[in-house]
């Protein structure tokens, strides 16, 4: 199943490569780090991703790529289909900076890791509040994730659900670098490349 996912990712990445310049043009706020064209590609491929986690268990398919999808709509993330209830894993160690509860994203989380923010939408469970802090509560999944909580890479942070605007169970996964949206497929490609290289160098020892 992993091999099939990779083949699909490669096809998707071909398209992603073509959209890099469109990505650069999208930032809505002035940002000194975003001075050079090619910066998103550079931070994605130039970073070390050995400790990063693939964001979902029981992955089935990439169902919607990052980019324009008609009707003037732009898809600011990558959709990863998985059976409802599959666990979502934190991509990179960080802190929960937002617990989302809205009609579009549904129940979701934003986790910050340095200049990166990773967004997870359409989760199972609800958002509740105690002592002035929001938290995600997913009783069936045995999860409680608090605003301000530190989360390790690979930790379970939620489950794939149908909250918000979605026609089927999937994780909508968004990535921002210095407030600029980045195609998550570019980062996944860099992650796979590095982690594969690391595995093959270990097996040669
Ligand atoms: Zn999406």
């Amino acid at each position: 199943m992993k091999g099939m996912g990779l083949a699909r990712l490669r096809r998707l990445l071909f398209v992603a490569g073509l959209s890099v310049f469109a990505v650069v043009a999208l930032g809505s706020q002035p940002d000194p780090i975003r001075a050079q064209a090619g910066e998103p590609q550079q931070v994605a491929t130039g970073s070390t991703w050995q400790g990063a986690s693939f964001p979902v268990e029981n992955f089935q398919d990439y169902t919607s790529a990052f980019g324009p999808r008609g009707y003037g709509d732009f898809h600011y993330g990558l959709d990863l289909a998985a059976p409802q209830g599959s666990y979502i894993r934190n991509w990179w160690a960080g802190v929960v900076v937002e617990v989302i509860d809205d009609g579009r994203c549904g129940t979701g989380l934003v986790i910050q890791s340095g200049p990166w923010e990773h967004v997870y939408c359409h989760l199972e469970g609800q958002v509740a509040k105690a002592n002035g802090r929001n938290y995600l509560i997913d009783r069936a999944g045995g999860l409680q994730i608090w605003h301000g909580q530190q989360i390790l890479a690979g930790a379970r942070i939620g489950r794939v659900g149908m909250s918000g605007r979605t026609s089927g169970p999937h994780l909508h996964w968004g990535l921002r670098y210095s407030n600029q949206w980045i195609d998550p497929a570019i980062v996944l490609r860099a992650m796979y490349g590095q982690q594969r290289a690391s595995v093959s160098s270990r097996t040669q020892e």
Side-chain angles (χ1 to χ4, degrees), residues 75 79 170 172:
H75 188 227
D79 288 352
H170 72 276
H172 169 96

Side-chain angles (χ1 to χ4, degrees), residues 5-6 8-10 12-17 19-20 23-24 26 40-41 43-45 47 49 52-56 59 62-68 74-80 89 91 116-121 170-177 180-193:
L6 266 174
R8 287 219 168 93
L9 179 64
R10 277 195 209 101
L12 204 129
L13 288 168
F14 175 71
V15 178
S19 67
V20 165
V23 174
V24 173
L26 272 169
Q41 176 97 43
V43 294
T45 58
S47 303
W49 302 119
S53 172
F54 191 74
V56 72
F59 168 72
Y62 298 100
T63 47
S64 185
F66 178 95
F74 194 97
H75 188 227
Y76 291 98
L78 177 65
D79 288 352
L80 299 95
R89 288 182 177 268
W91 166 67
W116 292 91
E117 282 182 307
H118 20 138
V119 183
Y120 304 80
C121 289
H170 72 276
L171 168 66
H172 169 96
W173 190 45
L175 282 181
R176 278 192 297 253
Y177 181 85
Q180 185 182 355
W181 291 107
I182 290 189
D183 183 347
I186 297 174
V187 171
L188 284 182
R189 178 175 58 180
M191 268 171 62
Y192 275 127

